[in-house]
Amino acid sequence: KVWLHHGALKAVLKKKEPRYIMADILQNPNPVIAGKFNLDKVTTKHRREHELDEDERDSFDNLEVFEMIRNINDPEHPLTLEDLAVLTPENIFVDDSTNKVDVYFTPTVPHCSMSTLIGLMIRVKLIRSLPKRFKVRVLIEKGKHSSEEAVNKQLNDKERIAAALENHNLLSTINKGIANTDVDPKDMNMLF
């Protein structure tokens, strides 16, 4: 087993202690780095102003859900799921009227053994961040993984998820992957 230094660049920039996640081997030693998405500041500002109206129920869209999960750490590389284009705003579907959120993610390689872990991190982050009224589904994008059906079944089976989250080691790994993933106060200026 190899200990991977996870979040080293973020740790240096934020002066926080780096996280480590354990993996058997690097399945994708040279991932393509897509970089950060440039969210439309005008749209984001309009959404934030609308949400400040106390008389209206907060509505959610794909960009807001993307903001919640974009900084989840990849379990294999010191990069975020956004950096690796595992998550994109175009693959998040929100139906606010029926309280449904579907998140499709794309593993960096078709045989990625970390797909279930990545999906669990996305699910746990959304469960902790979204209002309880939402039903969340996390799925691998069609045709992007060799075990797509099996992984999707695991990620959306309540009993399997509950059993997985009872495993203290797995829950610790998930918590490390989603730690410090909220919007950085320094980045709040881009929202207004």
Side-chain angles (χ1 to χ4, degrees):
K1 295 196 182 260
V2 177
W3 283 99
L4 300 175
H5 190 218
H6 200 70
L9 181 59
K10 283 184 179 178
V12 171
L13 295 175
K14 293 183 178 181
K15 296 183 180 177
K16 292 183 179 178
E17 188 174 315
R19 294 176 300 283
Y20 294 84
I21 294 183
M22 193 166 64
D24 290 333
I25 56 170
L26 288 176
Q27 293 182 5
N28 186 1
N30 297 310
V32 174
I33 299 172
K36 300 287 184 193
F37 288 89
N38 186 11
L39 299 179
D40 181 355
K41 291 180 184 179
V42 175
T43 302
T44 305
K45 182 179 179 183
H46 173 74
R47 279 196 346 262
R48 295 290 181 215
E49 288 172 353
H50 177 73
E51 289 174 4
L52 293 176
D53 186 350
E54 300 263 340
D55 296 329
E56 290 189 37
R57 178 180 123 177
D58 286 345
S59 61
F60 288 85
D61 62 14
N62 68 321
L63 294 178
E64 189 163 5
V65 172
F66 179 70
E67 287 174 5
M68 292 176 186
I69 58 178
R70 71 192 300 182
N71 294 316
I72 294 174
N73 299 296
D74 182 80
E76 192 174 31
H77 299 285
L79 300 164
T80 67
L81 297 183
E82 176 187 20
D83 291 333
L84 297 170
V86 171
L87 288 172
T88 62
E90 296 82 24
N91 285 335
I92 298 171
F93 302 92
V94 178
D95 187 343
D96 197 56
S97 64
T98 60
N99 303 318
K100 293 180 181 177
V101 175
D102 289 346
V103 176
Y104 291 84
F105 68 99
T106 306
T108 59
V109 291
H111 55 277
C112 179
S113 67
M114 299 287 179
S115 295
T116 304
L117 176 59
I118 291 168
L120 281 171
M121 287 192 290
I122 295 167
R123 176 177 285 287
V124 169
K125 177 65 177 177
L126 288 176
I127 288 170
R128 292 178 183 174
S129 301
L130 285 170
K132 302 279 185 227
R133 65 185 169 93
F134 281 100
K135 179 182 181 341
V136 176
R137 286 190 329 153
V138 178
L139 303 152
I140 292 177
E141 188 178 359
K142 188 149 183 71
K144 299 293 184 177
H145 194 276
S146 57
S147 301
E148 171 189 335
E149 274 187 45
V151 174
N152 285 344
K153 185 175 181 179
Q154 288 177 342
L155 291 175
N156 294 290
D157 183 314
K158 288 182 183 181
E159 291 176 11
R160 290 182 188 194
I161 295 166
L165 297 179
E166 288 177 6
N167 179 319
H168 296 293
N169 291 330
L170 181 56
L171 185 57
S172 175
T173 301
I174 291 169
N175 286 334
K176 287 176 186 174
I178 64 175
N180 304 313
T181 58
D182 293 326
V183 175
D184 189 332
K186 288 181 272 179
D187 295 336
M188 289 300 284
N189 291 337
M190 83 166 209
L191 300 177
F192 297 103

